[in-house]
Amino acid sequence: VLGVGVLSVPYAFRLSGYVCILLILVVITVTAQTANFIGAALVLASRSPAAAEVPPRGRDFAFLAQVALGDSGRMFIGAVTCLEIWFALVTFIVMNGVNLQLVWPSFGTAPASVLSCLLAAPMVLLPMRISSYLSLGASIALAVASVALVCAALTMDEWANPYDTLGESALLHWENVPRSVGIIVFCFAGHPCFPVVHECMKDKSSWRRSVGVTFFLAFLYYGGLGVFSYLVFGKELEVSVTTNLKFLPRAVLFRKISALAFVVKIQLTAPLLLNAIIVAYWAPEVDAPEWPAKRIIVLLALTAITAWTAVMFSDDVAAVASLTGSLFTMTTSVLFPALAHLRLARRYDQDWQKSDATARWVQASMALAGTALALQDVFA
């Protein structure tokens, strides 16, 4: 839940103003509730006949979609989740190119993005045990990057303080709210991972408490860094906030530490995303080599397509993040959990009562508006 999406959250404040802190609160409230829906839906799905054929640790998003929506629902959710992961990967690769350029200025964003892809591909072949340690390293790098970002800003003699210079226009820009929501929702694309986490818990009754603590920390993380960056840089915020650090002459060390730590975080995360897409397309076969020659060719082709797309959209990373959040993440992290819980509650919960559909209509409307504006930004 806490990830490198924070790099683009300050840009959402630039688009819509301080109202973004309320948008973050709303998005976190909704996505925390849908996380609870996932936990409740898994409990309900365990009462279905299909649950007898699937061990608890195999009950993922595809399982929920199968039980709640049937074969067509499973195929649809699988495709959307795959696209979401791929667009997230493209966005992260572009952000990595931006941060690599801050560490080594002689590198352009496009070559740096290609290099990031080329480094990620062989890391997919590492055993999962090693990947788990790399994931821990990525989390530590994220913490280091965030602290260094704050320290760099503290070297400035004067902050932008947008309300003092812009007045009420620093508070709200209605026309950009759907775009900002898409960028913020993009940060909460982890819901497809939640079923495995839930099913591996020793005490599943702690799920709601765990969700509450996690999303409270997410509010402090995204909201805190978003407001702080907007206070410091104001309307000069770039798509990736680390880009603003290159204009701070007294923050060279902190800039390099922050950018390099974000590079490490993204570089250690990218192979996991690549592998998830490969597994969705071509899962390993039992009692067969995990990486036959044809599967490696698919990996290389996916890496090449990802690198090319990252180069093509290197100047539109905010629009791609907003599109991913509004279209794909809104589907997997907001609409699908609510729909799956609703369908399963009707079938397997005797105490179920009809829920108010207003919230779902609001979610769907925001998803459509954000998608339309993001597509306009990408193709304008």
Side-chain angles (χ1 to χ4, degrees):
V1 173
L2 307 182
V4 294
V6 73
L7 287 172
S8 57
V9 168
Y11 188 74
F13 278 79
R14 172 185 165 176
L15 291 176
S16 298
Y18 281 113
V19 73
C20 273
I21 192 65
L22 297 179
L23 299 180
I24 291 173
L25 180 61
V26 170
V27 168
I28 283 180
T29 301
V30 171
T31 51
Q33 182 57 40
T34 56
N36 287 324
F37 282 160
I38 290 173
L42 286 164
V43 172
L44 293 169
S46 66
R47 304 172 188 171
S48 70
E53 302 175 5
V54 181
R57 296 195 178 195
R59 295 173 188 173
D60 55 6
F61 246 36
F63 167 76
L64 272 183
Q66 177 75 44
V67 175
L69 306 174
D71 292 338
S72 57
R74 180 187 180 119
M75 292 178 61
F76 175 76
I77 291 301
V80 170
T81 302
C82 224
L83 285 170
E84 176 195 29
I85 294 172
W86 185 70
F87 272 101
L89 177 62
V90 170
T91 304
F92 291 157
I93 291 296
V94 174
M95 288 181 176
N96 228 21
V98 171
N99 287 305
L100 275 170
Q101 192 179 26
L102 291 175
V103 180
W104 294 286
S106 58
F107 252 49
T109 301
S113 297
V114 173
L115 176 63
S116 182
C117 269
L118 294 177
L119 291 175
M123 294 173 68
V124 175
L125 307 178
L126 294 174
M128 187 55 67
R129 185 180 63 178
I130 296 177
S131 296
S132 65
Y133 286 107
L134 295 180
S135 180
L136 175 61
S139 299
I140 295 172
L142 182 64
V144 171
S146 301
V147 171
L149 178 64
V150 172
C151 290
L154 293 177
T155 65
M156 297 176 63
D157 294 325
E158 186 177 357
W159 290 0
N161 292 314
Y163 186 77
D164 293 341
T165 56
L166 301 174
E168 293 186 0
S169 64
L171 300 178
L172 173 63
H173 291 281
W174 276 110
E175 67 276 10
N176 289 327
V177 165
R179 292 185 177 95
S180 295
V181 169
I183 292 173
I184 295 166
V185 170
F186 174 74
C187 299
F188 298 92
H191 283 54
C193 303
F194 289 177
V196 175
V197 177
H198 179 274
E199 294 303 294
C200 290
M201 290 183 73
K202 182 182 295 185
D203 180 14
K204 294 183 176 60
S205 64
S206 299
W207 177 253
R208 292 185 69 89
R209 183 168 68 254
S210 300
V211 168
V213 171
T214 297
F215 281 80
F216 173 73
L217 293 175
F219 176 72
L220 297 180
Y221 174 64
Y222 292 112
L225 283 177
V227 169
F228 178 78
S229 300
Y230 191 47
L231 274 171
V232 173
F233 299 111
K235 297 300 287 185
E236 301 302 319
L237 276 164
E238 301 287 342
V239 173
S240 176
V241 66
T242 49
T243 305
N244 289 91
L245 302 184
K246 69 181 180 181
F247 304 113
L248 308 182
R250 291 187 294 176
V252 175
L253 177 61
F254 290 126
R255 177 177 71 227
K256 290 187 178 295
I257 291 175
S258 180
L260 184 59
F262 274 121
V263 166
V264 171
K265 162 64 179 175
I266 295 173
Q267 198 60 54
L268 295 181
T269 302
L272 301 177
L273 301 180
L274 270 173
N275 187 60
I277 298 169
I278 293 291
V279 169
Y281 175 75
W282 185 344
E285 298 178 5
V286 179
D287 298 327
E290 184 179 0
W291 290 102
K294 291 182 179 180
R295 201 161 183 259
I296 292 178
I297 292 173
V298 172
L299 171 62
L300 295 176
L302 176 63
T303 302
I305 293 171
T306 302
W308 179 81
T309 307
V311 171
M312 290 296 294
F313 290 101
S314 58
D315 295 327
D316 297 305
V317 63
V320 174
S322 181
L323 173 64
T324 306
S326 297
L327 181 57
F328 301 117
T329 307
M330 191 72 78
T331 300
T332 59
S333 296
V334 177
L335 300 177
F336 169 68
L339 178 59
H341 179 260
L342 181 64
R343 294 289 296 272
L344 291 171
R346 282 178 171 174
R347 294 178 190 174
Y348 302 111
D349 188 354
Q350 295 179 348
D351 299 325
W352 175 81
Q353 294 180 350
K354 189 174 181 179
S355 302
D356 180 15
T358 303
R360 292 183 176 87
W361 281 110
V362 172
Q363 295 160 10
S365 299
M366 190 60 71
L368 291 172
T371 300
L373 288 173
L375 286 171
Q376 177 182 319
D377 290 343
V378 168
F379 295 109

